[in-house]
């Protein structure tokens, strides 16, 4: 399957230069996430990297399966070299710098044809120079790597990260040198039952360094993280915190400035490096889809000004209504997967705008970013465009709800998503899960995630995409016990595609025990763009069109209905979807084909949303 260059497993340069000399770099483990990276002093490491495919993990384990970077000195390098000397065997020569090249950020699935189905280990290397000045610190920030990453710089292990869609960073101040640095990352996208997501999903398992790799230069003491939002329940106060990394007692003043609001607030840094604040505010222009107002905010500390653009708005529920800035709204939405036009993982601003502009054309004021945290680009663009956002973590289907380490993994991913995106006004819903089977263990798992979310951010709504069932009277019933802990009751249903007759749509009624807003978080069916026929012929655009017409008739009668996000905006790749000539490894439920062709159902949804918008006004 691979040519000789790609199948060499005994990689002398990889082993002797990169791995076998490793000592564990303790300060690299579990470092706090730095927020607002786009507005910091950064250097991009994006571009062309070298890679080596290593399915047997020869660069990570000895032939006795001892992990090299956990060996005590004398390192296993001495043993390894002695073994080959004694047995008169030579290590096969291999050089990273002569290995194949790949674009980063980017997945190997779409860039390397022979790796389309590959799930396993690939090593990546990037060389760079960096002249770090005295009294400055340097961090490497990795936007996302799918799924497990072991990260090394100049022969030092920085740490290991799990989770394919969340950022992480390590300090490299004591390791970086002016010339000839080499950053090496071992990426493993192998699926496991205990992972988040679990082994079974309905999207492509893109492997690789799928988001930006960035160097962040900071002062010795700097602003690491902050929250600046309207205080819950009080629109006359902007509140939050600022967290100082390596707080210096002699630098105890921080200033928050919002010139347009005539705010120039000074506060003292606590001994713990935390500044908690409440700032009175008047005549604020609230962020909304009609007025996506963003204010320029500056945090001034230690001779550095960290800028951000932040919108201020309130989001809450009142009975079965969703209120944005105290005004009832209906969420005209669509679900979106993170794919680009070429069928790879989306990672650029252009990718984000392609998807969001289609959502706007559809008539949306809201998008559901499924089923994992998307690239920060799409969040920031939604903020500018006035699109409200549902952000989700990949607690998807059947994760191991009884396993504590699996819960911790989910919580870590949730924490990273909140840390990165909590200052974006567009995000109105944090979603805990999608289509998880009901059990006591699952209920406890999600309840803990809900509690954790509220401890970090009490200003947004919490939901999860639930499953439903039919009761003895034939009603569609929303009675999932986890609804007690959610602000919004959301559920997925696929009348006419996964059961039920479209002709019966007007006879189907729904009931729920919750007096809470209801969102139909998914509905839809497949059609291949350009395939035409009768409305009862599956896979045709006419069938999908009829399916949308009938489902909307049913949906309109759902009690407490406050929004919907049909499945899905664009066809996306999935190895579960195999039908030759129709699916060809694409889920065809998109209202738009993967090559940008709008299907007939797109216009059904567009017209329905146009009527809804007029009703609201």
């Amino acid at each position: 399957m691979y040519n000789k260059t790609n199948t060499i497993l005994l990689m002398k340069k990889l082993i002797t230069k990169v791995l076998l000399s490793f000592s564990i770099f303790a300060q690299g483990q579990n470092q706090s996430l730095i927020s607002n990276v786009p507005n910091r002093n950064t250097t991009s490491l994006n571009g062309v990297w070298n890679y080596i495919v290593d399915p047997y993990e020869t660069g990570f384990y000895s032939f006795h399966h001892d992990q090299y970077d956990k060996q005590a000195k004398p390192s296993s390098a001495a043993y390894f070299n002695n073994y080959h000397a004694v047995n008169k065997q030579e290590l096969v020569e291999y050089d990273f710098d002569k290995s194949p090249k790949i674009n980063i950020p980017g997945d190997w699935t779409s860039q390397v044809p022979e790796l389309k189905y590959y799930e396993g280990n690939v090593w990546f290397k990037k060389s760079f120079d960096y002249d770090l000045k005295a009294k400055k610190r340097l961090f490497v920030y990795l936007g996302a790597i799918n799924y497990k990453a072991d990260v090394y710089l100049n022969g030092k292990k920085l740490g290991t990260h799990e989770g394919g869609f969340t950022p992480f960073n390590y300090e490299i101040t004591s390791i970086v040198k002016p010339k000839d640095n080499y950053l090496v990352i071992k990426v493993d996208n192998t699926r496991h039952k205990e992972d988040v997501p679990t082994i079974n999903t309905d999207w492509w398992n893109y492997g690789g360094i799928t988001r930006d790799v960035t160097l962040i230069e900071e002062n010795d003491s700097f602003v690491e993280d902050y929250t600046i939002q309207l205080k819950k329940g009080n629109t006359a106060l902007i509140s939050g915190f600022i967290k100082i990394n390596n707080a210096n007692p002699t630098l105890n003043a921080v200033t928050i400035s919002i010139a347009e609001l005539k705010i120039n607030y000074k506060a003292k840094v606590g001994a713990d490096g935390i500044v908690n604040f409440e700032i009175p505010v008047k005549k604020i222009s609230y962020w909304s889809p009609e007025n996506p107002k963003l204010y320029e905010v500056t945090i001034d500390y230690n001779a550095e000004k960290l800028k951000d653009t932040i919108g201020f708005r309130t989001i809450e529920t009142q009975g079965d209504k969703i209120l944005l800035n105290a005004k009832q709204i209906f969420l005209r939405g669509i679900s979106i997967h993170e794919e680009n036009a070429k069928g790879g993982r989306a990672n650029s601003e252009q990718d984000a705008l392609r998807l969001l502009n289609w959502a706007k054309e559809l008539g949306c004021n809201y998008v559901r970013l499924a089923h994992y945290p998307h690239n920060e680009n799409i969040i920031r663009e939604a903020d500018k465009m006035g699109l409200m956002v549902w952000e989700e973590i990949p607690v998807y289907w059947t994760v191991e709800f009884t396993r504590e380490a699996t819960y911790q993994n989910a919580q870590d991913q949730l924490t990273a998503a909140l840390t990165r995106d909590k200052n974006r006004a567009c995000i109105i819903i944090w979603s805990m899960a999608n289509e998880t089977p009901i059990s006591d263990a699952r209920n406890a798992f999600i309840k803990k995630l809900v509690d954790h979310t509220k401890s970090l951010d009490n200003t947004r709504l919490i939901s999860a995409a639930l499953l439903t069932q039919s009761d003895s009277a034939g009603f569609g019933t929303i009675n999932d016990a986890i609804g007690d802990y959610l602000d919004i009751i959301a559920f997925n249903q696929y009348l006419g595609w996964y059961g039920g007759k479209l002709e019966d749509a007007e006879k189907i009624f729904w009931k729920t025990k919750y007096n809470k807003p209801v969102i139909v978080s998914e509905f839809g069916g497949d059609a291949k763009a350009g395939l035409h026929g009768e409305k009862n012929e599956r896979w045709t655009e006419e069938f999908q069109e009829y399916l949308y017409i009938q489902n909307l008739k049913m949906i309109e009668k759902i009690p407490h209905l406050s929004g919907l996000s049909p499945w899905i905006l664009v066809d996306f790749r999935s190895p579960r979807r195999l039908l030759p000539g129709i699916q060809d490894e694409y889920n065809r439920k998109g209202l738009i084909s993967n090559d940008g062709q709008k299907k007939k159902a797109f216009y059904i949804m567009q017209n329905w949303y146009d009527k809804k918008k007029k009703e609201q006004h």
Side-chain angles (χ1 to χ4, degrees), residues 203-477:
W203 66 84
W204 206 277
N205 183 27
Y206 291 109
I209 304 171
T210 57
R211 295 181 188 161
D212 297 337
V213 181
T214 308
L215 299 176
I216 307 170
E217 184 177 298
E218 293 289 352
N219 286 331
D220 184 58
S221 181
F222 68 95
V223 175
E224 176 185 283
D225 186 26
Y226 56 90
T227 293
I228 301 176
Q229 294 282 281
L230 285 177
K231 185 175 182 178
K232 185 176 177 64
N234 190 338
T235 57
L237 284 176
I238 292 174
S239 69
F241 73 88
I242 296 172
K243 179 182 178 183
I244 304 299
N245 185 300
N246 190 33
N248 186 332
T250 65
L251 300 169
N252 63 356
V254 62
T255 302
I256 302 169
S257 302
I258 309 176
E260 199 171 346
L261 293 175
K262 296 181 171 57
I263 290 174
N264 191 47
Y265 180 87
K266 295 183 179 181
K268 288 188 176 182
V269 180
D272 58 357
I274 302 295
V275 177
N276 293 299
F277 61 85
E278 290 186 348
I279 307 172
V281 62
K282 295 179 180 179
K283 296 182 179 179
I284 196 165
S285 179
Y286 297 117
W287 184 98
S288 70
E290 298 76 26
N291 175 46
K293 173 65 177 176
L294 301 176
Y295 288 92
E296 184 171 289
V297 178
T298 302
I299 303 173
D300 194 336
Y301 175 76
N302 194 13
E304 282 196 336
K305 297 180 184 295
L306 180 59
K307 296 183 180 298
D308 203 350
T309 52
I310 296 177
F312 299 102
R313 54 99 194 97
T314 62
I315 187 75
E316 57 191 332
T317 62
Q318 187 178 86
D320 65 352
K321 298 176 176 60
I322 301 174
L323 305 180
L324 177 69
N325 301 323
K327 181 180 178 181
Q328 184 178 359
I329 57 167
F330 186 89
L331 299 179
R332 307 185 309 271
I334 191 70
S335 297
I336 296 177
H337 257 304
E338 189 181 62
E339 276 194 350
N340 61 30
K342 297 179 181 179
R345 181 65 68 205
N347 55 52
S348 69
E349 289 183 8
Q350 290 73 26
D351 292 333
L353 288 170
R354 169 179 171 267
L355 296 168
L356 294 181
N357 281 329
W358 275 334
K360 292 281 280 190
E361 185 180 351
L362 184 63
C364 296
N365 60 6
Y366 149 76
V367 291
R368 178 188 178 213
L369 301 183
H371 287 292
Y372 39 76
H374 286 216
N375 194 298
E376 187 172 358
N377 288 324
I378 201 167
I379 306 292
R380 288 184 176 267
E381 292 300 329
D383 227 23
K384 298 173 188 174
M385 295 170 68
L387 280 165
M388 295 175 282
V389 171
W390 159 312
E391 183 163 352
E392 190 164 295
I393 58 170
V395 178
Y396 180 90
W397 291 357
T398 55
V399 304
E400 294 199 336
F401 295 111
T402 59
R403 187 171 179 268
E404 181 57 35
T406 298
Y407 172 79
Q408 189 60 52
N409 186 343
Q411 180 176 294
D412 289 346
Q413 293 187 46
L414 182 60
T415 301
L418 267 71
T419 301
R420 190 191 71 179
D421 296 332
K422 62 184 179 297
N423 289 306
R424 307 282 74 84
C426 63
I427 295 178
I428 61 167
I429 298 169
W430 299 120
S431 174
M432 305 294 101
N434 178 79
E435 294 184 348
T436 49
I438 297 171
S439 69
D440 290 343
R442 170 269 205 173
N443 293 349
F445 189 104
I446 294 179
K447 172 64 164 54
K448 285 174 67 178
L449 289 176
V450 170
D451 292 342
H452 180 68
T453 303
K454 289 180 177 179
S455 74
L456 297 178
D457 177 14
N458 68 353
T459 68
R460 290 177 173 86
L461 307 178
I462 296 176
S463 191
L466 308 176
L467 295 168
T468 62
Q469 57 186 348
S470 296
D471 66 10
S472 57
F475 280 85
T477 304

